[in-house]
Amino acid sequence: MLRAAGASSASAAGVASAARAHDDNARDHSSSTQEQSSGSPSTPTAGAGRPTGTRNNRPTSARESAYDSSHETGAPQRRRDRRAVEAAATDETSRARRHSSRVGEAFPSLVGWTSLSTLLPGIGLLRTRFRPLGIILLGGFVLTFLIALLYVLIKGPIRAFGTVVSSPTMLTFLAIVLAVIGVIWILVIVISHFGLRKGHRYASWQNKLAGVLVVSLALIVGIPFGVGSVYSRVQGDTVSSLFGDSTGHSKSAEDLWADKPYINVFLMGRDNGDDREGTRPDTMLVASIDTKTGNTALISVPRNLAFPIFPEGSELEETWPDGFRPTGQASVDLINSVWQWGEENKDTIGDTHGLEPGMFTTMQAVEGSLGLNLDYWAAVDMAGFEDVVDAIGGVKIDVERPIPMGGGKSMSGVANEIYGWVDPGPQTLKGKDALWYVRSREGSDNYDRMCRQQRMIKTTLDQIDPRELATAYPKLANSATQNIATSIPQNEVPAFIELAVAMQKGDVSTVQINNDVTPTYDPDFDVLHKWILGEVKGASDGEETAKPTNKPTTEEKKDTAEDTPSEEAPAEDQPAEEEGGEPTETTKPGEPNAEGKCYPKGFKPGDDFPGYPGPGAGDEG
């Protein structure tokens, strides 16, 4: 009986222990699933989900029953927890790919994409939260580039450039657009940089280097756009001030001069210095330009051409039917005296078509005397010539002999002082020295002077550097508006740009009017007209080039003009000879020798020049 009681007591203790274990597991399960159970329908009991055939297959003890219940309800939760952990790990791995976990790991990518934003605005924004804005900016940039490229391809590079730079309206608009685009482009670079930095860590030196990079890229973009905006504004003001009003729509050279094989442009240099009373033409040239090839005959008009005549049928021709003879003296009634006479007799010359009386009468004298219609004109004051030479960095030239600064005589006949020298030898002449090289008359003659002028023009054209001109352009443009005047209208500037390009590729022939052609003190203008026509035709490309716009005084004069130049040259204008009877290198007055150098009458290379103190004298003024 005692054994039975002990066994019964042990069995009761086991049942109680199993019951407590079951209650503990139930409480743990309830607490772990409380959040899910609170929002879901009641879960059926474990036994309710079993098939009826297994109703009697119950655990043999309370411990097995408690284990089975805990296992069945905990397995789905553990699977859900495992999936959540795996998803978190995957997301962390993805973030690790996008954002560096180590300091400075993404610096090369930052530098690369920021730099690329300088070349293609907006492309760096594609990797930031501003992606839509980046697409718009990049698309706008590509579209603008394609439109500009199409415009250039349709019109041609030279014509497109000429159309833009000759229109003040387009230039003003371009100045505003360039400034706005420059600011936007810089902002895009900065925004792209800071957008790419987000989520990354960088070392201190990398932050500093990144700052230097952004500032440098901003300057690379900002400076060209800023300079372009300023230059566009300057060019617009220059075109408005320098050229005449437009006379129609802009045309190409081919369209504008379709029926003009040649155009004749009168070029005049004048000196309005403080030491001059009034204005006298210092240099007169006519450029007869082939509009197809750009080949040019550069004709120098002698200042001492006496008794100039005027176009047939003009009021001036009626006033001076036998040529310009106010005094009847060949040494006074010269072509460079016509300007002053015109200024003093405004009521006599008639309609000047808006020109200064002096300019109008001088151009009329050149037209009549040379037998050429002048289509355009340009006048340059000496100060403007100096600015042009300085703007291109000077002119490299081998000065053939000492050139005096000053000298000559004033209008009253008083000798002027020589205050400096241009030394002989290879050198680069700046503005003032170059000016005296072309204008000095001391110890020289008009023919030698004209030769030096033509040499300087040709040398300057050959040495023009567009980069140096671009650097000095604002100053040069300001000087041009003050020292240059021209009859070229704004809408014809593009055609002249095309013609200038053709001239650089073509040939420039110098033409000297001297006593071997006709005596300058008593010229035969019939002979002169025919000779000039032949020189202009000879400067072209051959027989296929049409005749220039030549207009002799009468058709009869053309037919009766003699084929050979006059032989009545005075002795003082004949080329000098050496002691042995051999001629000097200069065989004709005003023509350069084989080396392209110019010498006055009687001067041989290597001779001492009167009054020259020696090398190094330079400019003492």
Side-chain angles (χ1 to χ4, degrees):
M1 183 178 292
L2 290 174
R3 285 195 300 271
S8 175
S9 176
S11 176
V15 170
S17 176
R20 285 195 300 271
H22 176 73
D23 292 339
D24 291 339
N25 289 335
R27 281 194 299 272
D28 292 340
H29 175 69
S30 176
S31 64
S32 64
T33 60
Q34 182 176 4
E35 183 177 352
Q36 297 177 356
S37 300
S38 61
S40 60
S42 301
T43 304
T45 60
R50 292 179 181 177
T52 37
T54 61
R55 185 179 304 169
N56 297 325
N57 296 334
R58 297 184 178 184
T60 56
S61 67
R63 179 177 298 176
E64 291 177 356
S65 176
Y67 173 78
D68 289 345
S69 175
S70 175
H71 179 73
E72 290 176 2
T73 58
Q77 177 62 29
R78 285 196 296 272
R79 286 195 296 270
R80 285 192 295 272
D81 292 344
R82 186 166 58 252
R83 285 195 296 270
V85 170
E86 291 175 354
T90 301
D91 185 62
E92 183 67 23
T93 302
S94 177
R95 285 198 303 270
R97 292 193 192 102
R98 294 194 304 268
H99 305 290
S100 59
S101 58
R102 291 180 295 179
V103 174
E105 185 177 22
F107 186 69
S109 177
L110 175 68
V111 171
W113 283 100
T114 303
S115 301
L116 193 59
S117 296
T118 308
L119 300 176
L120 298 173
I123 196 170
L125 296 176
L126 300 181
R127 294 178 60 86
T128 68
R129 61 190 182 94
F130 301 106
R131 179 182 175 85
L133 178 61
I135 294 175
I136 294 173
L137 291 174
L138 184 59
F141 171 79
V142 174
L143 181 62
T144 302
F145 176 79
L146 292 177
I147 292 175
L149 180 62
L150 185 63
Y151 177 78
V152 172
L153 291 176
I154 292 175
K155 299 201 71 170
I158 298 175
R159 189 176 303 180
F161 173 78
T163 301
V164 174
V165 301
S166 62
S167 171
T169 301
M170 293 184 66
L171 288 166
T172 300
F173 175 74
L174 182 62
I176 297 173
V177 169
L178 289 175
V180 172
I181 291 178
V183 171
I184 293 176
W185 204 321
I186 292 174
L187 289 176
V188 169
I189 293 174
V190 174
I191 294 173
S192 300
H193 177 76
F194 283 103
L196 292 166
R197 289 179 65 95
K198 190 173 182 180
H200 302 285
R201 295 177 298 163
Y202 300 97
S204 176
W205 69 270
Q206 291 175 330
N207 289 327
K208 294 178 181 178
L209 189 58
V212 173
L213 174 67
V214 172
V215 172
S216 300
L217 295 178
L219 292 176
I220 291 174
V221 170
I223 290 177
F225 277 98
V227 171
S229 178
V230 172
Y231 275 37
S232 297
R233 184 62 181 171
V234 171
Q235 174 67 10
D237 294 340
T238 302
V239 171
S240 299
S241 303
L242 180 58
F243 298 98
D245 295 333
S246 294
T247 56
H249 296 294
S250 176
K251 295 182 180 180
S252 65
E254 182 180 2
D255 295 334
L256 180 62
W257 299 309
D259 57 346
K260 291 182 73 67
Y262 283 78
I263 59 170
N264 300 310
V265 183
F266 178 56
L267 306 172
M268 187 181 73
R270 57 185 182 182
D271 190 353
N272 293 327
D274 296 335
D275 59 338
R276 288 292 185 98
E277 297 178 7
T279 298
R280 277 196 177 190
D282 198 74
T283 302
M284 289 181 288
L285 300 141
V286 175
S288 188
I289 310 169
D290 188 317
T291 57
K292 301 299 187 295
T293 65
N295 288 348
T296 303
L298 193 60
I299 307 168
S300 289
V301 181
R303 297 168 65 252
N304 63 336
L305 184 66
F307 310 132
I309 62 175
F310 299 94
E312 184 180 6
S314 66
E315 294 187 33
L316 286 171
E317 195 261 348
E318 294 177 2
T319 303
W320 303 107
D322 297 323
F324 180 70
R325 295 174 181 266
T327 68
Q329 301 179 38
S331 60
V332 178
D333 301 338
L334 306 176
I335 195 169
N336 74 322
S337 302
V338 173
W339 180 291
Q340 194 66 27
W341 178 87
E343 292 290 334
E344 296 172 352
N345 297 272
K346 300 178 182 179
D347 297 335
T348 307
I349 61 179
D351 184 12
T352 63
H353 304 284
L355 295 176
E356 297 176 73
M359 173 63 81
F360 176 75
T361 52
T362 299
M363 290 181 61
Q364 289 276 289
V366 171
E367 280 195 358
S369 300
L370 272 61
L372 295 174
N373 290 329
L374 300 181
D375 303 296
Y376 304 90
W377 61 267
V380 182
D381 288 343
M382 292 308 174
F385 175 82
E386 291 187 50
D387 289 338
V388 170
V389 173
D390 286 336
I392 64 175
V395 178
K396 296 179 181 179
I397 192 170
D398 187 357
V399 180
E400 48 270 88
R401 62 171 178 85
I403 304 294
M405 293 183 176
K409 294 182 179 180
S410 66
M411 294 181 65
S412 59
V414 178
N416 297 318
E417 179 185 359
I418 296 177
Y419 62 86
W421 295 82
V422 178
D423 294 325
Q427 56 186 297
T428 299
L429 298 183
K430 297 294 185 177
K432 189 174 183 179
D433 289 346
L435 176 59
W436 276 108
Y437 178 84
V438 300
R439 70 177 295 195
S440 178
R441 290 192 294 269
E442 179 68 24
S444 180
D445 53 47
N446 283 323
Y447 302 115
D448 171 56
R449 188 167 178 266
M450 289 188 296
C451 181
R452 282 184 274 120
Q453 291 169 356
Q454 291 182 334
R455 186 187 181 202
M456 176 60 72
I457 291 174
K458 294 177 65 176
T459 304
T460 303
L461 288 175
D462 292 339
Q463 296 181 12
I464 288 178
D465 188 341
R467 293 171 297 180
E468 293 176 344
L469 281 179
T471 303
Y473 182 72
K475 177 184 176 182
L476 189 59
N478 181 63
S479 173
T481 57
Q482 299 178 23
N483 299 303
I484 298 177
T486 182
S487 63
I488 300 173
Q490 293 178 15
N491 62 298
E492 295 186 18
V493 173
F496 271 92
I497 292 176
E498 294 181 51
L499 190 61
V501 173
M503 289 176 64
Q504 286 188 327
K505 298 177 181 178
D507 297 325
V508 178
S509 301
T510 59
V511 179
Q512 291 279 6
I513 300 174
N514 54 41
N515 289 322
D516 285 349
V517 179
T518 186
T520 56
Y521 60 89
D522 188 17
D524 184 335
F525 290 107
D526 291 339
V527 171
L528 182 59
H529 291 171
K530 186 171 184 178
W531 179 80
I532 287 179
L533 175 59
E535 291 295 310
V536 171
K537 290 176 63 177
S540 67
D541 273 344
E543 296 180 355
E544 295 183 0
T545 305
K547 293 181 179 181
T549 53
N550 180 275
K551 184 181 179 182
T553 306
T554 62
E555 292 297 322
E556 291 75 19
K557 289 183 178 180
K558 276 178 60 179
D559 295 336
T560 59
E562 306 214 349
D563 294 334
T564 58
S566 172
E567 299 177 356
E568 298 178 5
E572 61 268 23
D573 288 320
Q574 296 296 331
E577 296 184 356
E578 298 182 3
E579 293 180 1
E582 296 295 329
T584 62
E585 292 189 38
T586 302
T587 58
K588 291 184 179 180
E591 290 189 2
N593 64 6
E595 296 178 353
K597 298 179 180 181
C598 306
Y599 295 97
K601 176 177 62 72
F603 187 89
K604 299 185 295 295
D607 283 354
D608 292 333
F609 196 87
Y612 178 55
D619 179 8
E620 300 175 0

